[in-house]
Amino acid sequence: MVVLKTVERKNPQDLTAPPKYYTQAVANGFVDLERLAYLVSNQCTVREADCLAVLNALQHNVMDELKQGRIVQLGSLGNFQIGVRSEGAEVEAEVTNNQVKSAHVNFRPGKRIRNMLQTLQYKLVAG
């Protein structure tokens, strides 16, 4: 179950407008690679240390492939791709690499995760 809380937010396009209230998902802890390796090892015949080694190698290779500008497809989990934020230029000829402000990773979930999102249950708690 996904826990939600209520948050108050102002409209950034109209700071004089009254704030509105929205729901926001509350994280319920985190899971690291060691925990994932343990869980996977309990679901198959591979030992935990081997699972952790594979997950570490996967992490390393995903980062290397993203650095090369490739979209990384992880089956039904989804796709990862680098995105950038940049400053604008008045004309195309003025565009340079120096206009990149920051980079981020875009994630596009696969079909199984998109379907899972349709079945979530929620619980609203006091903020």
Side-chain angles (χ1 to χ4, degrees):
M1 180 167 303
V2 177
V3 176
L4 304 173
K5 70 177 181 178
T6 304
V7 294
E8 179 183 29
R9 292 196 182 125
K10 290 186 177 257
N11 181 345
Q13 296 175 343
D14 183 4
L15 296 176
T16 61
K20 290 187 178 181
Y21 296 89
Y22 299 88
T23 56
Q24 178 176 312
V26 178
N28 183 18
F30 69 95
V31 177
D32 58 14
L33 284 181
E34 288 81 10
R35 175 71 176 156
L36 288 173
Y38 172 78
L39 293 171
V40 170
S41 71
N42 284 317
Q43 296 171 343
C44 62
T45 60
V46 180
R47 293 190 303 168
E48 184 178 344
D50 296 327
C51 290
L52 184 56
V54 169
L55 290 173
N56 281 323
L58 175 66
Q59 176 179 284
H60 173 80
N61 287 298
V62 166
M63 292 184 336
D64 280 351
E65 294 300 319
L66 289 172
K67 284 181 189 177
Q68 298 300 316
R70 294 184 182 97
I71 297 172
V72 177
Q73 297 178 324
L74 290 180
S76 60
L77 182 64
N79 300 337
F80 295 87
Q81 181 178 8
I82 295 293
V84 297
R85 291 181 183 84
S86 66
E87 298 173 359
E90 296 296 323
V91 293
E92 184 177 357
E94 294 175 354
V95 175
T96 68
N97 295 344
N98 295 330
Q99 290 171 283
V100 173
K101 291 182 180 180
S102 64
H104 57 274
V105 175
N106 292 323
F107 173 70
R108 289 183 299 283
K111 186 175 183 178
R112 289 180 66 187
I113 290 185
R114 285 194 314 268
N115 291 341
M116 177 271 304
L117 293 172
Q118 302 301 315
T119 64
L120 291 176
Q121 296 181 9
Y122 303 98
K123 177 184 178 184
L124 184 62
V125 297

